[in-house]
Amino acid sequence: MYTDPSYAKAEAADRQWTLTLGGYVLAQPEWAGSDDYEFGFRPLISISRADQLSRFTSFNDNPSIALFDTGVFEAGVVGKLNWKRDASSSNALTGLKDIDYAFEVGGYAQWYPADWLRLRGELRYGFGGFDGLVGDIALDAIYFSEPLGGITLSAGPRMTLASSGYIDTYYGITAPESVLATALGNPLAPYKAGGGIYSVGFGGQITKRFTQNITGSIFAEYEYLLDDAADSPLVVQNGDRNQFQAGVSLSYTFFLGFD
């Protein structure tokens, strides 16, 4: 299992609990499938023991708690929050219904077939804004570079699969929505989206531990929508199947002093 050499020795014997707080500032699509971008913020919150701080984490990793961990293989519970979609926020969504916040809960597993290679998968069930399943698979090659100032570089392919409950919520268009949208100058034909492979893509990041408390990163992700999501009139007429995210993160780790 990969650990950051610049930090691993200092925390090797330390089992005290830590709290890491921070956030990601990023450029992201205004809505799923959009070709317009906005700046957003994503909080970063993690609770772990100090002897786990050097473990590799990716921007793609959702908040999780390990229930089983051998060092090479790890599994546990995971969660995610999907931001709401307000139809009034974009002309491209005129006539469509608002979508409320969605909460996703489920499980994850990750495996290190080699010290420098991690395979991670998540399967989550969403409720609230949508009802359905979403699965993510990511492979990351990891490299620690001392000559470049002790940074960790990582990159690899991604794939997301989703049920019709997810894809139809964000990409489907009901008959009443089609009538209203067309009447308001946004001609969108009715569309029923099914489940399947939602997207494939590629992402990477550069991470630097400045001190034992402060960590920063630069990251970028590319996502290519497929099948029913890509074929939605919402994407074909008003959006783009090519989706990007990029930004920076900064976090601070508090050592709580008890184990």
Side-chain angles (χ1 to χ4, degrees):
M1 180 192 66
Y2 173 85
T3 56
D4 184 338
S6 68
Y7 200 61
K9 292 181 180 180
E11 46 102 71
D14 194 341
R15 293 281 293 167
Q16 70 173 299
W17 285 99
T18 68
L19 171 64
T20 299
L21 298 175
Y24 299 94
V25 177
L26 67 157
Q28 62 184 4
E30 288 187 356
W31 42 271
S34 174
D35 61 355
D36 292 321
Y37 287 77
E38 65 182 4
F39 284 104
F41 176 81
R42 175 174 159 183
L44 193 163
I45 304 172
S46 174
I47 299 174
S48 68
R49 292 190 182 275
D51 60 357
Q52 297 177 341
L53 288 174
S54 64
R55 294 187 177 188
F56 169 74
T57 58
S58 166
F59 166 75
N60 276 305
D61 297 352
N62 289 299
S64 57
I65 300 174
L67 301 179
F68 178 79
D69 185 0
T70 67
V72 174
F73 179 81
E74 180 182 318
V77 296
V78 66
K80 181 181 179 180
L81 171 65
N82 285 348
W83 204 254
K84 65 179 180 178
R85 189 182 80 180
D86 187 348
S88 64
S89 65
S90 172
N91 291 333
L93 302 175
T94 298
L96 303 184
K97 66 180 180 181
D98 294 338
I99 301 175
D100 202 359
Y101 295 98
F103 303 91
E104 300 178 22
V105 294
Y108 81 96
Q110 63 184 35
W111 171 52
Y112 282 83
D115 288 344
W116 55 270
L117 189 66
R118 188 194 72 162
L119 175 65
R120 179 181 172 103
E122 298 183 5
L123 182 62
R124 306 177 303 274
Y125 181 81
F127 57 94
F130 76 93
D131 291 298
L133 288 169
V134 180
D136 293 319
I137 303 171
L139 183 68
D140 284 282
I142 310 157
Y143 176 71
F144 177 80
S145 175
E146 188 67 45
L148 294 178
I151 62 173
T152 298
L153 300 93
S154 61
R158 286 85 169 89
M159 175 184 288
T160 298
L161 302 95
S163 68
S164 59
Y166 175 87
I167 298 179
D168 193 51
T169 296
Y170 292 97
Y171 295 93
I173 302 166
T174 65
E177 286 179 318
S178 173
V179 171
L180 180 58
T182 301
L184 295 175
N186 185 23
L188 296 171
Y191 182 75
K192 181 70 174 178
I197 299 178
Y198 171 67
S199 68
V200 295
F202 191 87
Q205 69 182 30
I206 301 172
T207 304
K208 169 68 176 178
R209 294 190 186 276
F210 298 102
T211 70
Q212 70 171 0
N213 302 96
I214 301 173
T215 303
S217 74
I218 301 172
F219 60 88
E221 297 281 333
Y222 168 68
E223 184 178 37
Y224 185 72
L225 301 181
L226 294 172
D227 298 338
D228 283 17
D231 292 337
S232 169
L234 189 60
V235 175
V236 174
Q237 296 172 210
N238 296 348
D240 190 343
R241 67 189 304 172
N242 298 284
Q243 301 280 282
F244 299 91
Q245 293 186 88
V248 299
S249 75
L250 191 66
S251 64
Y252 189 92
T253 297
F254 298 89
F255 289 80
L256 303 180
F258 61 88
D259 55 15

